[in-house]
Amino acid sequence: MDISVKRLTPSASHEIGGHACRQDPEDLGNVSSMKGSIRISEIFGPTVQGEGPLIGRPTVFVRTGGCDYRCRWCDTLYAVLPEFREDWALMTPAAILTEVERLSGSTPVLVSLSGGNPAIQPLAPLIEQGNKKGHTFALETQGSVPQSWFAALDWLMLSPKPPSSGMDTDWQALDECVRAAAGGPHCALKVVVFDEDDYAYARLVARRYTDVPIYLQVGNPAPLVTHAGPGHVEADIAALMQRFRWLVDKVAADRWFQATALPQLHVLAWGNRRGV
Ligand code: SF4
């Protein structure tokens, strides 16, 4: 039975002085001292990727636990906040792949590495061992922690957080993430857009990384979060679609034809549910 219910209000997002607070990943799941094990919040699928350039693609999700950010509207706080650590499992790469293959029926599959911030986990051995079994890997991160092993991915989705998140962008770290993907994985940018300030931020990101395709994702107001994850509040699809139309109008008016505007497909299909 769930006894912990949190609404993602500013207080729950650990704001200080009106800004969400950057956290120390060493305290939140950086497992450099854990002998190669990886903090796992959940593994689920097969389902479809609901966001970005792989939207609609069948995938198994491997969600890691721990994040150095505290975005105001984070919809996966159960994979972020230390009070949920008891729900996270320390798993070896082999154990993770065993679970992936149980779910995929031993068929090679696209593995989506998500979080939390998966970039603070030691994922290189998992990717290497998974590749040998025919799996492909996509990773999404806010771009705050560059890793040389990004080059071993098939897809790197960088999702720098806009002003509505309450987080500040470390542009140097983001530059290094883009460089780490050079010559390796397909790289794409994804920016969540709630309002005009977020849209202006997305334009700024696009101007800085002109060679990287950019996806604009309609902001989804934060749902309830429990130990079972979001799922106790239906998504307001009409409001999401209204915001999507606003976003498309903005892109069209600006003749910004390089951008791709998308809603979250899994939210349209299942609402704010965990494990889909
Ligand atoms: S970076 Fe992602 S996982 Fe971390 S707090 Fe922000 S939205 Fe949540």
Side-chain angles (χ1 to χ4, degrees):
M1 181 182 299
D2 298 323
I3 55 172
S4 175
V5 178
K6 302 174 187 305
R7 187 176 288 280
L8 307 189
T9 60
S11 61
S13 65
H14 292 198
E15 285 192 336
I16 296 174
H19 283 274
C21 178
R22 183 88 179 258
Q23 302 293 308
D24 176 8
E26 288 291 341
D27 187 40
L28 295 167
N30 186 332
V31 292
S32 56
S33 63
M34 296 177 190
K35 297 187 174 71
S37 293
I38 299 163
R39 274 199 193 284
I40 295 296
S41 168
E42 59 184 353
I43 302 174
F44 64 90
T47 181
V48 290
Q49 173 58 252
E51 303 173 354
L54 295 170
I55 193 165
R57 182 81 70 86
T59 188
V60 169
F61 278 87
V62 174
R63 187 182 304 287
T64 61
C67 187
D68 45 326
Y69 272 23
R70 292 292 181 275
C71 301
R72 288 192 181 114
W73 33 250
C74 178
D75 60 357
T76 56
L77 279 184
Y78 56 90
V80 171
L81 297 178
E83 49 262 48
F84 288 89
R85 284 179 83 155
E86 67 209 44
D87 297 343
W88 306 341
L90 268 179
M91 297 178 72
T92 62
I96 293 168
L97 288 172
T98 296
E99 178 61 7
V100 166
E101 298 205 320
R102 186 186 71 79
L103 293 168
S104 76
S106 298
T107 302
V109 69
L110 171 69
V111 178
S112 293
L113 303 168
S114 187
N117 183 2
I120 65 175
Q121 306 288 330
L123 296 180
L126 172 66
I127 296 165
E128 184 183 353
Q129 293 173 35
N131 284 160
K132 286 179 182 162
K133 292 171 176 284
H135 304 298
T136 51
F137 288 86
L139 179 140
E140 177 171 331
T141 175
Q142 62 265 44
S144 58
V145 182
Q147 298 283 9
S148 59
W149 51 259
F150 285 170
L153 293 161
D154 297 280
W155 288 87
L156 176 64
M157 256 65 84
L158 296 171
S159 183
K161 302 308 177 191
S164 64
S165 72
M167 303 301 303
D168 295 323
T169 300
D170 180 340
W171 293 104
Q172 190 179 345
L174 191 58
D175 289 349
E176 288 178 34
C177 287
V178 171
R179 275 198 295 272
H186 303 286
C187 185
L189 290 155
K190 187 188 74 182
V191 178
V192 172
V193 177
F194 275 89
D195 53 28
E196 295 278 358
D197 287 347
D198 290 354
Y199 182 80
Y201 174 87
R203 297 281 283 179
L204 186 71
V205 169
R207 280 196 296 272
R208 188 176 181 97
Y209 307 106
T210 51
D211 293 338
V212 184
I214 189 163
Y215 292 75
L216 310 179
Q217 180 173 297
V218 176
N220 180 15
L224 285 172
V225 169
T226 72
H227 276 289
H232 297 263
V233 171
E234 288 302 314
D236 187 343
I237 301 298
L240 288 173
M241 288 295 92
Q242 187 176 24
R243 199 172 294 121
F244 178 66
R245 290 190 291 272
W246 168 82
L247 182 57
V248 171
D249 286 346
K250 294 279 296 176
V251 169
D254 287 342
R255 304 290 186 263
W256 190 9
F257 299 141
Q258 295 77 25
T260 302
L262 288 173
Q264 291 170 294
L265 182 59
H266 55 291
V267 174
L268 297 183
W270 292 287
N272 290 317
R273 294 215 172 84
R274 184 172 171 179
V276 291

